[in-house]
Amino acid sequence: MKELEELIKKYELEEVKDYIYENIKNIIYLNLTEKDNYKFKGVSRVGGYPDVPENFQWPKNAEGKLLTFIAQLNLKEISFCDENALLPRKGMIYFFMGIDEPAYDIEHKVIYIEENEKLNLMKPEKPTVLEEEHEQTFTPYKVNGRNSIEIPNYAYVDYDILEDSDAFFSLEEDIRFENTGDNCVGKVYGYPERQHDDAELEAALKIIAKHQYNYRESEKEILIKALGGNKEKAEQEIHDMVMLLEIDSNDKIGFSWWDSGVIHFFIRKEDLKNKNFDNTYLSLYSS
């Protein structure tokens, strides 16, 4: 934290130092390393196709069409970077998605396999939904993880406590740019890239209350009702919603989420701790 201390002094933000430290989030940046020729099975990969165990069933959307493979994370590698100690320590997590229209409640599937022995590359028998939509395949890249920190971005910061928001965002940019670059394709955990600070509420409403968010603060009452009228429990569920994966648009891979946007996979903290990946939420943000 020595570098953070120096940056706080540099931008003369000592008055909000406590706020900064209280709102730090540990994250794992995902960086592209090289194109993947599929020689080594079970690596962490974004794009291309997955390495899966025998009898793996490729997930489909409601119309029976094949979802598109987005990423696989080798947890034995990635969990070394997990300062939050929430990810399983071994196995693979696979991320698949459907058509990204509309930008909310996107069809998807997150699959966890506890053992990652005897994996083999699986190519679908026909184009997946996004391959068909974009008329292209997506180039596979190996990725590795790097642990770092984040402070609130422009959507999540408490503007009421800032006397100098320009200085705060200069600090936020310094921290972010120090850890990202042209090869950064996304992250696990952290603050979602978004216009407003309601991504976790949106996810909680769908996962817990089975309600499609309509961007009204009053809809929090629906979540409270679904939790037996327990307001504190509802606030805790929103607070504990975990961004399991954020993936950026990337020309190298061929991913393009609307106008250079990002996609977010969310999961309840309790479900992640219990290795339950059946209830997740996928949304897209593009400025």
Side-chain angles (χ1 to χ4, degrees):
M1 292 292 186
K2 181 181 178 182
E3 291 147 354
L4 180 56
E5 288 278 349
E6 292 172 352
L7 287 172
I8 289 172
K9 290 179 181 178
K10 173 183 175 181
Y11 291 111
E12 299 179 353
L13 289 166
E14 287 89 347
E15 289 187 3
V16 292
K17 177 179 175 179
D18 289 345
Y19 169 79
I20 291 170
Y21 276 93
E22 287 167 4
N23 290 278
I24 285 174
K25 287 193 175 187
N26 294 306
I27 67 167
I28 303 170
Y29 279 118
L30 299 175
N31 297 294
L32 305 181
T33 58
E34 60 181 340
K35 281 187 181 180
D36 194 346
N37 60 10
Y38 300 123
K39 181 178 179 180
F40 297 101
K41 305 300 186 290
V43 301
S44 293
R45 175 185 303 139
V46 176
Y49 302 113
D51 303 321
V52 297
E54 190 177 2
N55 299 322
F56 181 87
Q57 297 295 312
W58 195 288
K60 299 178 180 180
N61 66 10
E63 298 176 351
K65 295 183 177 181
L66 301 176
L67 297 178
T68 297
F69 171 73
I70 301 300
Q72 65 181 35
L73 299 181
N74 182 320
L75 294 170
K76 186 176 181 181
E77 301 170 354
I78 297 296
S79 65
F80 280 117
C81 308
D82 184 10
E83 297 290 334
N84 297 318
L86 292 173
L87 294 171
R89 308 303 289 181
K90 63 177 183 176
M92 305 286 292
I93 301 182
Y94 304 91
F95 298 84
F96 295 81
M97 70 178 285
I99 299 298
D100 51 344
E101 177 67 48
Y104 53 84
D105 196 18
I106 300 169
E107 282 190 283
H108 70 287
K109 186 70 175 178
V110 179
I111 299 172
Y112 171 61
I113 303 293
E114 191 164 9
E115 298 297 333
N116 57 353
E117 302 295 327
K118 299 180 180 178
L119 300 180
N120 289 294
L121 178 67
M122 185 177 193
K123 293 186 178 181
E125 66 271 16
K126 56 186 176 180
T128 64
V129 289
L130 287 181
E131 289 176 324
E132 191 173 46
E133 178 82 4
H134 295 280
E135 298 182 342
Q136 69 172 84
T137 57
F138 301 105
T139 305
Y141 272 82
K142 295 178 183 177
V143 296
N144 62 17
R146 178 186 177 188
N147 64 301
S148 186
I149 62 168
E150 278 189 338
I151 63 173
N153 57 29
Y154 67 91
Y156 283 80
V157 72
D158 184 350
Y159 287 91
D160 291 337
I161 64 106
L162 295 182
E163 290 186 7
D164 188 346
S165 59
D166 288 341
F168 182 89
F169 291 123
S170 293
L171 168 64
E172 190 268 336
E173 287 180 1
D174 269 8
I175 294 171
R176 180 157 38 92
F177 292 153
E178 177 69 23
N179 292 283
T180 60
D182 292 340
N183 289 325
C184 184
V185 70
K187 62 188 179 185
V188 177
Y189 308 138
Y191 292 97
E193 183 178 337
R194 196 171 169 95
Q195 186 175 3
H196 303 291
D197 64 343
D198 53 0
E200 293 81 0
L201 171 60
E202 179 180 334
L205 277 166
K206 189 63 180 182
I207 292 173
I208 298 169
K210 310 306 178 188
H211 173 77
Q212 184 57 60
Y213 184 46
N214 291 304
Y215 306 97
R216 296 191 297 264
E217 178 64 22
S218 60
E219 289 178 275
K220 191 180 292 184
E221 295 299 323
I222 297 172
L223 179 62
I224 294 170
K225 183 178 179 180
L227 293 167
N230 191 328
K231 184 176 181 180
E232 290 184 1
K233 174 67 172 174
E235 293 290 350
Q236 192 64 49
E237 287 284 358
I238 296 168
H239 179 269
D240 285 348
M241 194 60 60
V242 176
M243 188 168 70
L244 185 59
L245 184 68
E246 178 178 277
I247 293 292
D248 301 335
S249 294
N250 187 279
D251 291 339
K252 293 178 180 178
I253 300 168
F255 287 159
S256 179
W257 317 123
W258 292 22
D259 186 16
S260 300
V262 300
I263 55 172
H264 312 110
F265 292 84
F266 287 96
I267 189 170
R268 293 179 62 239
K269 181 179 181 180
E270 196 64 26
D271 284 340
L272 180 55
K273 289 168 66 175
N274 291 327
K275 304 177 185 178
N276 176 15
F277 294 88
D278 292 333
N279 297 307
T280 52
Y281 184 76
L282 175 60
S283 59
L284 181 154
Y285 169 72
S286 180
S287 57

